[in-house]
Amino acid sequence: MPQPMLEPQTAEASVGVRGASDEFAALAARMQELDRSYWPVMSPNQAFGGVSAARLYGLPLPLRLLADALVHVIVPKGRNPPRAKGVTARSVPPRFWSLGRIGGLPVASPELTYCLLARHLDELELVQVGDALISDADNYPGRTWPQALTTRDRLAAIADAWSGCAGAAVLRSATLRIRERVESPWESTTRIALVDSGYPEPDINVPLMSGARQVARIDLVDREARIGYDYEGDGHRTSQRQWRLDITRSREIESVGMRHVRLTVADLVPAGGLQAFTDYAKRLRAERLGQG
């Protein structure tokens, strides 16, 4: 595994969040095995890139890419790409060629993987990937490395240098929106949904204190209006113990004057409850600030 910080089924399941289904986890494992199956015949000038690199890193991907049956390989520009069945290859200019290793497998560096994915992802999907790459959370769902894989500054530098390459425009816009301390792709989605609706950008994973005691750590916090937003994956519903803890936790959050809003995937689906959720959030904020 590289040391990048040193020297050089449902909408929810589609990005592998906390509480994702066993079917999703099994699919992710199968696709990683598919990628690994190409390693024995991989030549020295090849590496896993783009979608395959993201799967091996355990980064959040939409279902259409997670389930992509092709192995994605990169080669330095000027080298012959592989022509094996089931393999797609992409040439990378020498100035961007940068590799790491996962379990001995050669993969594009986290920074290069981020850029290569810009061809396949929209802005929100790329923000999810960027947030996952720089998150220092050891519980980020699905990720195969327990620490941050790179930094925001490194991603910004390579996004700037990527000008003129495929996906450069979406890469630049997404990079401006990535944030540290995010612990799941649905936290990213909630933040972007709120901001895009005109809501002020909330703080991320904020400890809520009562004197010297930490009451909770909330996904997103509007400090001015004292509103906390927590995304709850399916595990919060299927685990009886977690369900009981969540009720007690919510009561404690409210007891120190913070309004606690709990949301699920249904609140973030554009064709479903997204508009209703963001309208509610803005209305609640106005009421809390005495503007409603």
Side-chain angles (χ1 to χ4, degrees):
M1 183 67 198
Q3 298 294 326
M5 296 296 290
L6 305 176
E7 291 300 317
Q9 100 252 68
T10 61
E12 182 169 274
S14 70
V15 287
V17 297
R18 290 191 296 258
S21 66
D22 291 341
E23 290 82 1
F24 171 84
L27 173 62
R30 286 199 305 273
M31 301 317 292
Q32 288 178 347
E33 283 303 309
L34 171 69
D35 293 320
R36 292 189 190 101
S37 70
Y38 182 67
W39 185 30
V41 297
M42 181 177 276
S43 69
N45 65 334
Q46 297 175 11
F48 295 101
V51 172
S52 290
R55 291 191 296 220
L56 292 168
Y57 281 122
L59 300 175
L61 288 175
L63 189 59
R64 68 179 188 278
L65 296 183
L66 181 69
D68 182 357
L70 293 174
V71 176
H72 293 249
V73 173
I74 55 172
V75 297
K77 192 171 183 178
R79 296 297 187 98
N80 292 328
R83 302 190 183 281
K85 184 178 180 181
V87 176
T88 183
R90 184 170 174 182
S91 295
V92 174
R95 69 184 185 279
F96 294 122
W97 187 258
S98 175
L99 304 183
R101 287 191 174 270
I102 299 178
L105 304 179
V107 296
S109 69
E111 297 84 3
L112 178 55
T113 298
Y114 178 64
C115 290
L116 294 171
L117 288 172
R119 169 182 283 182
H120 305 283
L121 301 178
D122 64 25
E123 183 179 286
L124 172 58
E125 293 164 345
L126 203 54
V127 169
Q128 290 174 334
V129 169
D131 284 354
L133 284 169
I134 67 174
S135 173
D136 61 1
D138 60 6
N139 64 334
Y140 195 98
R143 200 176 59 181
T144 55
W145 190 245
Q147 301 166 350
L149 288 159
T150 185
T151 67
R152 189 177 175 187
D153 286 346
R154 289 186 181 185
L155 294 184
I158 196 169
D160 184 59
W162 199 253
S163 180
C165 300
V170 69
L171 193 67
R172 284 194 300 271
S173 60
T175 303
L176 293 173
R177 310 190 76 180
I178 63 175
R179 298 291 183 266
E180 297 170 334
R181 299 192 305 277
V182 177
E183 295 184 359
S184 87
W186 284 97
E187 288 181 17
S188 304
T189 303
T190 306
R191 182 182 83 247
I192 297 300
L194 286 170
V195 172
D196 283 353
S197 75
Y199 198 102
E201 182 164 338
D203 294 326
I204 298 168
N205 280 302
V206 177
L208 179 63
M209 309 300 293
S210 176
R213 182 175 70 93
Q214 180 172 312
V215 174
R217 190 160 54 88
I218 304 175
D219 291 348
L220 298 168
V221 171
D222 178 344
R223 293 182 188 270
E224 184 183 13
R226 292 191 61 78
I227 305 171
Y229 296 91
D230 271 324
Y231 176 82
E232 297 188 356
D234 204 43
H236 291 258
R237 178 185 63 83
T238 57
S239 167
Q240 190 175 79
R241 178 177 180 275
Q242 186 63 56
W243 175 64
R244 290 169 177 167
L245 289 173
D246 288 341
I247 291 175
T248 301
R249 177 176 177 273
S250 188
R251 189 162 55 235
E252 289 184 335
I253 292 170
E254 297 265 356
S255 73
V256 295
M258 178 77 69
R259 182 65 177 269
H260 190 217
V261 178
R262 301 160 69 186
L263 61 148
T264 70
V265 64
D267 297 303
L268 298 175
V269 177
L274 179 61
Q275 186 68 51
F277 164 65
T278 55
D279 285 350
Y280 166 76
K282 288 187 288 185
R283 186 170 61 252
L284 176 61
R285 185 174 202 274
E287 291 172 357
R288 297 277 293 179
L289 295 177
Q291 300 169 353

